[in-house]
Amino acid sequence: MLPGSIQITGEALSGAEIKDICDSLKENSVRLLSVRGCQLSDRDFGRVCRGVAESVSLAQLNLNLGVVSTIGRTKQLADALKANRSLQTLFLHGSPLLDAGLVNLNGALSTHPSLVSLDLGDCMLGDEAVRLICGMLPPDGAKSGLKELTLSANPAVSTQGWARLAIAVAHSSQLRVLNLDYNPLGDHIAGMLAVAVASSRTLEVLDLEGTGLTNQSAQVFLDMVENYPTSLRVLVLAENDISPELQQQISDLLSEGEEEEDKDGEARGRSGPPREKPAWVPHSITASKRLGQKGSTETDITRALFRRDHFYL
């Protein structure tokens, strides 16, 4: 039986439901666990964390929308992540972590052997948190690091913090997707990010939706993609004060680069690995294990799981 998923949204979870979740984790029958926006006691949160620590099948954990609500819970989650070896994707979007919470999680996150995708959007982070996150973007391939990072809607980060991140992105050997949407970046920080994108050998997707940009930023990005080689394939500039014409020009140039890459791949017999899709493409999960059902009973889930939290159903 292929590992399934448990997905519950916005409910108050009973002790019996928590027991079912923990039993499934211990049986290694769960690949995806989502308790997004759910209410559970501190004791039950600790039980779930112990189940995560013991699981060798869990690949994706969604604790979005305030499930990790206290410093004590960040410590429990950190302990679980130190023991876990299978997790690849962690969603904490909308959790009031603050910098102190990320300090607690940093050791476990930065040394996890499998984690490649991290969502810390709307977590009330500041410059100290960004400094720690930069350590998860190693400059060489000798150390594992993040391939996808979401820092949407963290307005407390200063210009200095974003500059530090831009330097880390420029030198990261693995980062492919960076979501910075709905941060008050402005043209100055966008210029730093353009330099980082031009320097990066791996970044393919950059989301700058709703970040206070103008045509000035767009022109910098246009010059960059027009005159310099780049790995960038998707640049999201919606909800900014940028003309549709400039956005279209950038999009067309990026599309041309992707077409040339595809032709090169055909000429080489496509011997290399396929390019990953943008992070917000929906991933349909076809096998879901319902709470209370044992054995091999599976059902098709009725919702597709989207990468970014504000697209979740």
Side-chain angles (χ1 to χ4, degrees):
M1 181 185 71
L2 292 175
S5 67
I6 296 173
Q7 298 186 76
I8 311 170
T9 299
E11 297 183 13
L13 299 180
S14 67
E17 289 172 318
I18 294 297
K19 183 179 184 301
D20 284 333
I21 291 173
C22 293
D23 287 346
S24 296
L25 288 169
K26 291 176 182 178
E27 293 167 2
N28 295 312
S29 60
V30 178
R31 183 169 174 80
L32 184 157
L33 172 60
S34 174
V35 289
R36 172 181 177 271
C38 289
Q39 302 169 41
L40 59 165
S41 68
D42 288 342
R43 177 175 176 271
D44 285 341
F45 182 83
R47 292 167 65 192
V48 171
C49 285
R50 288 191 292 273
V52 169
E54 296 177 16
S55 176
V56 298
S57 66
L58 188 66
Q60 186 175 115
L61 178 61
N62 187 327
L63 300 174
N64 283 350
L65 300 184
V67 177
V68 186
S69 55
T70 65
I71 288 295
R73 291 193 178 191
T74 63
K75 293 178 179 178
Q76 290 177 305
L77 180 58
D79 289 341
L81 295 175
K82 288 176 183 176
N84 177 277
R85 289 292 178 267
S86 62
L87 195 67
Q88 299 173 21
T89 299
L90 177 62
F91 297 96
L92 295 174
H93 201 115
S95 302
L97 299 181
L98 300 170
D99 285 1
L102 200 66
V103 167
N104 286 335
L105 289 168
N106 179 62
L109 294 175
S110 59
T111 60
H112 196 286
S114 302
L115 188 70
V116 293
S117 180
L118 179 63
D119 188 339
L120 294 172
D122 195 18
C123 285
M124 304 172 68
L125 303 180
D127 288 358
E128 175 62 15
V130 170
R131 184 185 69 80
L132 297 173
I133 291 165
C134 288
M136 303 175 203
L137 305 174
D140 59 69
K143 177 184 174 184
S144 61
L146 297 176
K147 294 183 179 180
E148 298 186 12
L149 173 62
T150 295
L151 290 174
S152 315
N154 281 294
V157 179
S158 72
T159 298
Q160 182 180 0
W162 293 126
R164 186 189 295 270
L165 180 69
I167 294 170
V169 169
H171 293 282
S172 171
S173 63
Q174 299 178 59
L175 188 67
R176 297 185 180 183
V177 178
L178 179 61
N179 297 316
L180 299 178
D181 47 316
Y182 297 103
N183 284 298
L185 302 180
D187 290 328
H188 180 61
I189 297 171
M192 299 181 195
L193 291 170
V195 174
V197 172
S199 302
S200 172
R201 295 172 296 170
T202 61
L203 192 69
E204 298 179 359
V205 179
L206 177 60
D207 188 349
L208 298 177
E209 179 176 354
T211 51
L213 309 188
T214 70
N215 285 344
Q216 178 181 331
S217 299
Q219 189 62 55
V220 171
F221 279 109
L222 178 62
D223 292 343
M224 187 257 305
V225 297
E226 190 171 25
N227 297 305
Y228 299 94
T230 176
S231 298
L232 194 67
R233 295 294 173 260
V234 177
L235 177 62
V236 182
L237 295 173
E239 299 299 324
N240 286 298
D241 189 17
I242 297 173
S243 70
E245 292 77 16
L246 268 176
Q247 293 192 50
Q248 189 61 53
Q249 283 180 274
I250 295 170
S251 178
D252 290 344
L253 285 169
L254 293 175
S255 298
E256 288 175 9
E258 188 170 11
E259 289 171 2
E260 291 175 2
E261 180 186 83
D262 289 343
K263 290 178 182 178
D264 289 342
E266 290 174 359
R268 294 192 305 267
R270 294 203 180 277
S271 58
R275 188 175 62 82
E276 290 186 3
K277 294 181 180 180
W280 53 87
V281 173
H283 301 283
S284 297
I285 309 299
T286 57
S288 176
K289 183 173 181 179
R290 288 186 174 177
L291 292 177
Q293 293 182 336
K294 304 298 183 182
S296 60
T297 302
E298 294 181 335
T299 60
D300 292 335
I301 71 167
T302 57
R303 298 185 299 273
L305 185 64
F306 282 65
R307 170 67 176 80
R308 282 165 41 188
D309 184 67
H310 52 274
F311 284 135
Y312 277 60
L313 299 181

